[in-house]
Amino acid sequence: MKITKQRVLFFGVIATVLFNIAVLSNFNMVFASSAYAFLYLIIIPGFFIQRLLRIRGLPFFESITYMVGFSVSYVLLIGISTNLLGLFSLIPKPLNMPNSLIIFDIYTSLLLFINHIREKKYVTSIELPRIT
């Protein structure tokens, strides 16, 4: 399956919008919203950071390991930068959900935009590993 940079950007935007809906809605039937939010936070930012750093040609499971590591680092850095908003006297509680979500969306939008600009001509194919 061929994947272009426009499809990757579209996937990132749709995944982020669904993440915002999952976080802001109170719908949590069978923990579907929590499961999606967890999978989004643990995979999607790492995928885009890995593309931004142009780390390619790795085996499937090693690539997943890098994605998870980059995602955890990304979420931690966003949490730290959100907490730094408390230094301003205008924001008394910086780590509440709306502030965290706004800062996360700003950073994720920048990550998607930079990723889209940096890739000149990106076409790849996806191959799942064989299970034997």
Side-chain angles (χ1 to χ4, degrees), residues 19-32:
F19 172 73
N20 287 331
I21 291 170
V23 169
L24 292 175
S25 71
N26 289 328
F27 178 75
N28 202 9
M29 180 75 63
V30 195
F31 301 107

Side-chain angles (χ1 to χ4, degrees), residues 8 17 20-21 30 42 47 52 64 67-69 76 78 85 87 91 96 99 110 123 125:
V8 172
V17 167
N20 287 331
I21 291 170
V30 195
I42 210 71
F47 171 75
L52 189 64
I64 293 293
M67 282 186 227
V68 170
L76 285 173
I78 287 177
L85 289 175
L87 296 176
I91 302 172
N96 60 7
N99 288 341
L110 284 172
V123 176
S125 60

Side-chain angles (χ1 to χ4, degrees), residues 6-16 40 44 47-48 112:
Q6 286 83 13
R7 285 187 181 176
V8 172
L9 179 67
F10 180 73
F11 167 73
V13 169
I14 293 298
T16 304
Y40 176 85
I44 301 300
F47 171 75
F48 286 108
L112 290 173

Side-chain angles (χ1 to χ4, degrees), residues 91-105:
I91 302 172
K93 296 181 181 178
L95 287 177
N96 60 7
M97 188 182 62
N99 288 341
S100 298
L101 191 61
I102 289 169
I103 298 299
F104 183 82
D105 285 343

Side-chain angles (χ1 to χ4, degrees), residues 1 11 14-15 20 22 26 28 32 36 40 48 53 58 70 75 89-90 111 132:
M1 179 166 87
F11 167 73
I14 293 298
N20 287 331
N26 289 328
N28 202 9
Y36 177 74
Y40 176 85
F48 286 108
L53 296 175
L58 295 174
F70 287 141
V75 170
S89 61
L90 300 174
L111 180 65
T132 56

Side-chain angles (χ1 to χ4, degrees), residues 46-122:
F47 171 75
F48 286 108
I49 292 172
Q50 189 175 7
R51 284 190 67 224
L52 189 64
L53 296 175
R54 295 183 180 169
I55 300 174
R56 297 190 179 116
L58 295 174
F60 179 75
F61 292 110
E62 190 174 339
S63 178
I64 293 293
T65 305
Y66 274 110
M67 282 186 227
V68 170
F70 287 141
S71 292
V72 169
S73 300
Y74 181 76
V75 170
L76 285 173
L77 289 174
I78 287 177
I80 290 170
S81 66
T82 305
N83 196 22
L84 289 176
L85 289 175
L87 296 176
F88 302 119
S89 61
L90 300 174
I91 302 172
K93 296 181 181 178
L95 287 177
N96 60 7
M97 188 182 62
N99 288 341
S100 298
L101 191 61
I102 289 169
I103 298 299
F104 183 82
D105 285 343
I106 290 170
Y107 278 115
T108 304
S109 299
L110 284 172
L111 180 65
L112 290 173
F113 180 71
I114 292 170
N115 211 336
H116 184 71
I117 296 299
R118 186 159 180 200
E119 292 292 331
K120 301 281 186 214
K121 193 174 186 181
Y122 181 78

